[in-house]
Amino acid sequence: MTYLLLFFEFFKTGLFAVGGGAATIPFLMEMTNRYDWFTKSELLNMIAVSESTPGPIGINMATYAGFHTGGIFGAVLATFALVLPAFIIMTFIARLFARYKDNQTVQSVFTGIRPAVAAMIASAAWSVINVTMFTVKNDHVHLLIAPAILCVLLLVGMNLKWCRKFHPAVWIGIGALAGIILRL
Amino acid sequence: MPGKEMNIKSRKKTSRLNGLRERAGGLNKRADSSIKSVKKKPDAGRDRQVTGKTGKDSGTQLWQLFAAFFRIGILTFGGGYAMLPMFRRECVERYGWVTDEEMLDLYAISQCTPGIIAVNAATYIGYKERKVRGSVASTAGVVTPSLIIICLVASILKKFISHPVVAHAFAGIRIAVCALLITTVITLVQKGVKDIPTALIGLAALAVALYTPVPLVVIVILAGLAGYLISLIPKAEQDLSNKKGGRS
């Protein structure tokens, strides 16, 4: 019975959490109120872990909550339930898009959308940079020196001619090593 | 009718050839990797097996979809935007499944539909290449690293996660993600901003996204509307000049 409820709850979450992984958190909070699957403090721990492990946060959260509730099967079930609504909807959209991609109106709409999306990604990138490189002390915003230097070094490295072909994994690995060595 | 018969025959021959090409493509790939250092591969879709069609003729293997999205999933540290550099590397540069412009379109659609962008993108691209089986393969690929790692972390590796070394490593990883994002953003902005109207839309969207609480869905819709309205302008000018010409 729990498994059925688990599926239902995560399917609901997957259906209504529009726009990203962070949108699933309110639904998970609801679950702490309604069921005894996990407590609020356990949820906070899950969020922290999900942010620190590979994988999109939304999926990590569903897997963790599912595992906590019902072991491996619970993890798979919750993840599957979370993913299913998006899967169905995107399949329809993929078919639609294939059909109307060359429509003049559609093209002009997306020509307008693209710069906006680039801007949105830029603003998301800015908030990441903000959190990672700056800190607030005594009402002043300080630039964290070591992270900033590392970031600049990485940027330079990424754009060196012979380094440009490297897979992003390389830079992530270098970042991890640098983090350990410099005790960031 | 003889002409029609030939069409069917040549179509069958083409699809058989494509099937052979798909199998041979595997051999070619192995040969390619051995002379990787000598041969210079073209930039976009360098591992793409030719046709550009969808379905079985696309030359994309199911395992390629799974593997590519597995790599994307396992390197995504954080929210949806964090996957973009990896996504770009695999789907645009390596396999050529989408262009940068389509990637932006995908991101826009993902903001307006339920689901995280990783899953939305995986499903879309998987479907585009190999229909339902493709979308299952790619979505399974993006989800599997999380399943494995989280189950391990939640059970055996709990203590490992709280080790200070891990915290240091992740601090470094976050910075690497910043640098990757900056690079990717610059590339994407160049693809999205092509002329003055798009530049204006971009700047407006940036200002709204940074300084107002307007939801991203609204920004996308308004930008699309702006794009449509702007496209009407040359048409309106033409209608006007036609009318004038007609009258005189």
Side-chain angles (χ1 to χ4, degrees), chain B residues 132-155:
Chain B
V132 177
R133 289 198 288 178
S135 52
V136 170
S138 51
T139 311
V142 90
V143 154
T144 303
S146 293
L147 276 174
I148 299 177
I149 294 178
I150 292 282
C151 286
L152 283 174
V153 166
S155 51

Side-chain angles (χ1 to χ4, degrees), chain A residues 79-124:
Chain A
T79 308
F80 176 71
L82 187 82
V83 157
L84 199 57
F87 184 87
I88 297 174
I89 293 177
M90 281 314 288
T91 305
F92 272 116
I93 292 185
R95 296 172 78 149
L96 264 171
F97 221 53
R99 221 192 298 169
Y100 293 111
K101 198 162 50 131
D102 297 320
N103 178 305
Q104 278 279 26
T105 311
V106 171
Q107 287 196 334
S108 60
V109 165
F110 275 97
T111 308
I113 286 182
R114 276 181 213 133
V117 173
M120 276 157 43
I121 298 175
S123 87

